[in-house]
Structure formats: structure tokens, C-alpha cells
Amino acid sequence: MDLTRQMEYTATSEGNRVIIALTPIAGLPVEKKPPKEKAAPRDPLPPPAAEKAVPARPRKRRPPVEREEETAVSASKYTGRRISLDLQDADLVNIIRLFAEVANLNMILAPGVTGKVTVRMVNVPWDQAMDIILKMNGLGYIREDNILRIATLGAIAKEAEAERRAKDAKKKAEDLITRIISINYATASGIEGTIKKSLSPRGATVVDSRTNTLIVKDIARNVDEVVTLVKLLDKPIPQVMIEARIVEATTSFTREIGVQWGGTATADAAHGNPTGFSFPNSITMTGGPTMGTTFGGAGNYFVNLPAATGSGVGGAMGFTFGSIGGALNLDLVLSALEATGQGKVISTPRISALDNKEAKIAQGQSIPYSSTSAAGTQVQFIDAQLSLVVTPHVTPDNKIFMKIKAEKNAPDPSLTVQGQPSIRKNQAETEILLSDGETAVIGGILIMEKADSVARVPFFADLPLIGWLFRTKSVRNDKREVLIFITPRIMRQEALL
């Protein structure tokens, strides 16, 4: 059968097979071809009895290879019914009509659609086969509902360019409108740069800073798009309430045990106990003058190691021992002190802040310090205050990212210089992500001080039984702990109204 002639065809379906029957059109002259030279013998191919779409045998599908090619219609996936084709010098128009019959689509061919096709394809989607055949002939297609329009690539490109020019001409011919848009939360100048990208070349914007208003002039479609965009951008800035709790707890324990004793011992004729020697004929023994006078007034202390007792602090007990003649007098004082203290200070600064804006709150006092120089005496002030500096950011999923600096400085009367107290500082600076209403510890300081001290008289303090008369002992345990808690809460707009 000569496939180069124009033919009539019929398509019938039997089960999962489609049979195409081709019949030459009667009355058309047969084109005679000059005889061809005999070619070298080759393996014979089965002659095509008729153009038919043979159902493909089931076989493993290879993964598709993705390629970027320039075409009128880009198709990265073919979903048409699978067919097999074996054609030689077939008319292109008839092949396209075959695809229309298989896909049950209407097709319109441009006048320049002509050519011959020689192809052998097995088990391929019909739309892929058609796409490849059209590409090989410099053709493309445009699908509109169930109609396929097939033309040359150049004609399709010209049509697309003509449509684009028609749209541009329509935009240029369309009337311009002016709309005044009030900005509530953002600034008009800040939004202007964003909305300009949605305007046509004929569009323009004007910002009125006094009323925070945006004036837009463009075609109606673009103006409506700008209004929608402004509604999305002009949203209230989230506000965050940050509450900090700075807890400072102190525990102290002190214990001291002291001893003081001294007096006089005299051996002379006045007291009836001379030494009986020419020298020394008399002897008097008492404590050193720097040790202080005993409470009984009889000489000075030999050992003066008291506890730090006083009015309202600790206790002491004194004993006086003396002989009948007054030759020997002894004063003994035992003192003891034990103190336990507990303290707790809670500071709760709170502050509200806008999204991405720094906020600060501080409370405290300025302590004066005097300094002397060649210019004279000058007074300087050092701040001892409680402060909270925070910059919050609310994420789209209602989490809060914060940069925090919490500081608590207070005077410490336990350490003074020239009567001026020192400054005890507690500070934490960090970045943290929390959920709405979640509480977290951003920092903590634990200080433990333990001291055991013994004051003693060498050698005598090591004597058994009486060694305690020559030494004093003190024990001190101090504990200070500082914890800083942070709790952010998003302030809802309905709660503020």
C-alpha cells in the first residue's frame, strides 16, 4: 500500500485495541516514482499492512529523563493513552487526524502544516508521540478546552506577541482612576516602595505625610490590587508585655567562741611572800599593756581573744579569782556569739514594648562618692538601680524572640570604703525564644562562702586540757542565690480596646 497518497480512514475499537483502516481515495492519480537503485540486501522488515494503533505490551517503565527544550507548549509529564506507531513516509496531516481520533479531540490545522513522517514508536503516550512529531516538523500546538490548534512555531510566537501587544494597548487605552488610601498602623512612605511594583507604567503614587495617606492613580484593576496589598501590609504592630522576676535569697550563719584572762601575781615583803634572795627580792607579773586592763582592774590581760559580742549581740561571762593577801589576782571572761540570718528580695519590673522596638525601665538611686585631686574635692554619683532592657519580636506562629538585659545593682553596706558602701552587681544579658505566656529562667548565680578561723597563742594553745584558754574559734557560712525569670505575653488588640 502506498502511504504517500491521500486516504480515507475508519477507526474501530475491539476491547483494548484500536484498529485504523486506510482506504485510497478513488479518482486521484497515482504518483509514479522513478525506479530506485538496488541497495545492498538487509534484514527484511515486516511490511505495514495498514496504519494501526497497536496496544502496547506491558513492560517496565523507565524513569523519564527531564530536558529543557523550547517549545510552544511545555509539557513535563505525558498522561495520554499509550499507543504504538510504525509508519513510513506517511502524510503528516493524516497522522495528526489519527491523534485527534485517538484522543477524541477537535483539531484545527494552519495552512502551513504539511510534511511526511517516518516513525516507529512502541508503547508511548499519544500526546508525547504527537509532541515529538510536531517538534521534528517545526510545529507547535495550543490547546483550548477540547480543541487543538496546530501551527508553525513562528506563527504561534507571533500570535502570542500580538496578544501581548493587544493587552498592552488595552491597558493604555483604559481610563485612569484615583483613590485615596488611609494608612492606619504603618507609614505611607514605607509602603509606597512596595506598591509601586504593582502599578503600570502609567501609574503614580503621592504620599501625604501629614495625614499618613497614600494617593494612587492607575487603571482600575491595578488600583484594586494595590488596595488589597495595603490591607495585607497595614496591620497593627504586635505589642508584648514582658515581666521579669529577680529573686535574691541570702542565708548566713556565724559562730564565735572567745576567751580573755589576765591579772597580777606578786611576790614581795609587802604581801608576806618575799623571794628570800637579794636579787630578785620581789617579783610582779601581769599582762602586756597593749592587751588591755582586766575588767576587775587587777592588771592586764595575758590572753585577749574575745568574740565579737556587744549590746544585742552574743554574750559574755566574767570570773574574778584572788588570794587573801592580794598577791595573786585572776580575771577570766568567756564570750560566745551565734547569728543566723535569712533574707529574700523579689524585684518584679514590667514593661510593654512594640515588635522589634527596644524598651527600657529602671529604678534605683545614685550614690555620691567623693574624690580628691589637684583640682580639689569632687563628688561623683554611681547608679545602683534595677533595670530591664528588652527588644521583642513576635513570629508568625505566636512565639516571642527577645533580646534581654536584666540588671540589679544595690549598695552593699558590708563592704565600705571611707564610709561609702560598695555596689553589688547582678546582671544577665541573653537572647531567648519563648511561647506566649511561657516562663523561663534566663540566669542564676549561686555564691557559697564558708570560713573557719582560729586565733591562738603559739605553743600554749596546743597544750592538752588548758589549750582552749589560749585560742578562739569562729565559723562563718554565707549563701547567696540570684535567679532571674522572664515571662512574655502578647497583648491582644481586643484586650486593649
Side-chain angles (χ1 to χ4, degrees):
M1 178 180 291
D2 187 0
L3 296 179
T4 62
R5 300 176 57 189
Q6 295 185 5
M7 300 185 182
E8 296 180 348
Y9 68 91
T10 57
T12 58
S13 176
E14 294 182 0
N16 60 349
R17 302 177 60 189
V18 176
I19 299 176
I20 308 297
L22 302 178
T23 304
I25 299 177
L28 291 179
V30 179
E31 181 181 356
K32 295 184 179 180
K33 296 183 180 180
K36 297 182 180 179
E37 296 182 359
K38 294 184 179 180
R42 58 180 180 177
D43 295 338
L45 295 175
E51 290 183 5
K52 61 173 66 178
V54 182
R57 298 178 181 176
R59 54 187 297 181
K60 294 184 179 179
R61 184 180 181 183
R62 296 181 181 178
V65 179
E66 297 183 358
R67 295 186 302 172
E68 295 183 357
E69 295 183 359
E70 185 176 350
T71 180
V73 177
S74 176
S76 60
K77 186 177 180 181
Y78 299 101
T79 59
R81 182 178 179 182
R82 292 183 172 274
I83 62 174
S84 296
L85 296 174
D86 190 354
L87 306 173
Q88 183 177 3
D89 290 336
D91 185 65
L92 177 61
V93 175
N94 289 334
I95 300 304
I96 295 176
R97 295 177 64 189
L98 171 63
F99 289 136
E101 191 72 27
V102 172
N104 194 23
L105 293 175
N106 300 314
M107 286 199 182
I108 301 176
L109 306 182
V113 178
T114 58
K116 302 292 182 179
V117 177
T118 299
V119 64
R120 183 177 185 274
M121 295 184 179
V122 179
N123 192 27
V124 295
W126 72 265
D127 46 353
Q128 183 181 14
M130 183 184 70
D131 194 22
I132 293 174
I133 292 174
L134 293 179
K135 287 179 183 178
M136 296 300 295
N137 288 272
L139 303 174
Y141 66 90
I142 299 175
R143 180 165 181 173
E144 299 175 0
D145 295 331
N146 66 335
I147 299 176
L148 281 180
R149 295 193 296 112
I150 297 176
T152 61
L153 294 176
I156 293 177
K158 290 181 180 179
E159 182 180 346
E161 180 66 18
E163 289 182 358
R164 184 187 65 80
R165 291 179 180 178
K167 290 181 180 179
D168 293 342
K170 184 178 180 181
K171 288 182 180 180
K172 292 180 181 180
E174 192 172 350
D175 294 336
L176 300 180
I177 65 172
T178 302
R179 185 168 299 179
I180 300 175
I181 305 174
S182 298
I183 309 301
N184 298 318
Y185 306 103
T187 59
S189 57
I191 293 180
E192 183 185 18
T194 302
I195 67 172
K196 276 187 174 180
K197 299 179 181 179
S198 300
L199 300 179
S200 67
R202 303 169 61 198
T205 59
V206 177
V207 173
D208 185 5
S209 302
R210 185 182 65 85
T211 59
N212 199 31
T213 302
L214 196 62
I215 304 173
V216 181
K217 184 178 181 180
D218 204 351
I219 60 177
R221 181 173 63 257
N222 289 352
V223 171
D224 293 340
E225 183 179 345
V226 167
V227 172
T228 303
L229 183 60
V230 168
K231 289 181 180 180
L232 294 176
L233 298 177
D234 187 26
K235 291 184 177 181
I237 302 175
Q239 299 185 59
V240 182
M241 170 69 74
I242 299 100
E243 177 182 350
R245 293 174 63 88
I246 304 176
V247 181
E248 184 175 359
T250 57
T251 302
S252 61
F253 173 78
T254 302
R255 175 183 293 168
E256 296 183 16
I257 298 176
V259 61
Q260 297 169 281
W261 62 275
T264 58
T266 306
D268 59 8
H271 291 86
N273 57 347
T275 62
F277 299 103
S278 297
F279 182 83
N281 183 259
S282 62
I283 298 175
T284 300
M285 183 176 63
T286 186
T290 58
M291 300 295 290
T293 304
T294 61
F295 74 94
N300 298 327
Y301 283 116
F302 292 104
V303 176
N304 190 6
L305 300 172
T309 59
S311 178
V313 181
M317 180 181 294
F319 299 90
T320 301
F321 304 93
S323 62
I324 295 177
L328 179 63
N329 295 293
L330 178 64
D331 287 353
L332 174 64
V333 179
L334 300 177
S335 58
L337 166 67
E338 182 173 310
T340 301
Q342 292 183 346
K344 188 174 184 180
V345 180
I346 300 178
S347 305
T348 310
R350 295 182 182 180
I351 190 169
S352 297
L354 290 175
D355 188 32
N356 290 324
K357 299 293 183 180
E358 181 181 291
K360 179 179 180 181
I361 185 173
Q363 181 272 332
Q365 58 181 339
S366 296
I367 301 176
Y369 286 87
S370 61
S371 60
T372 304
S373 63
T377 302
Q378 298 178 349
V379 178
Q380 298 178 348
F381 290 86
I382 298 179
D383 293 333
Q385 62 182 9
L386 169 67
S387 65
L388 176 64
V389 181
V390 61
T391 304
H393 170 62
V394 180
T395 63
D397 57 350
N398 284 335
K399 291 186 179 294
I400 305 169
F401 174 79
M402 294 179 292
K403 295 181 180 179
I404 303 171
K405 182 179 180 181
E407 187 174 10
K408 185 179 185 299
N409 302 332
D412 187 2
S414 63
L415 179 60
T416 60
V417 177
Q418 296 180 353
Q420 300 293 337
S422 62
I423 304 298
R424 185 173 65 245
K425 294 185 176 182
N426 299 303
Q427 179 177 314
E429 185 172 358
T430 186
E431 297 180 1
I432 191 171
L433 179 65
L434 296 175
S435 299
D436 184 16
E438 183 181 2
T439 301
V441 179
I442 66 170
I445 301 174
L446 175 62
I447 301 175
M448 299 182 67
E449 297 180 1
K450 183 176 182 180
D452 294 342
S453 61
V454 177
R456 50 191 287 168
V457 177
F459 177 73
F460 293 99
D462 296 329
L463 296 176
L465 298 179
I466 63 172
W468 61 274
L469 293 172
F470 298 90
R471 64 175 178 262
T472 182
K473 182 178 181 181
S474 65
V475 178
R476 182 170 61 90
N477 291 328
D478 293 337
K479 180 180 178 182
R480 185 162 61 91
E481 185 175 11
V482 179
L483 295 175
I484 302 176
F485 300 85
I486 286 290
T487 304
R489 292 182 177 86
I490 301 175
M491 302 175 66
R492 308 296 177 184
Q493 293 299 317
E494 56 271 13
L496 299 176
L497 298 178

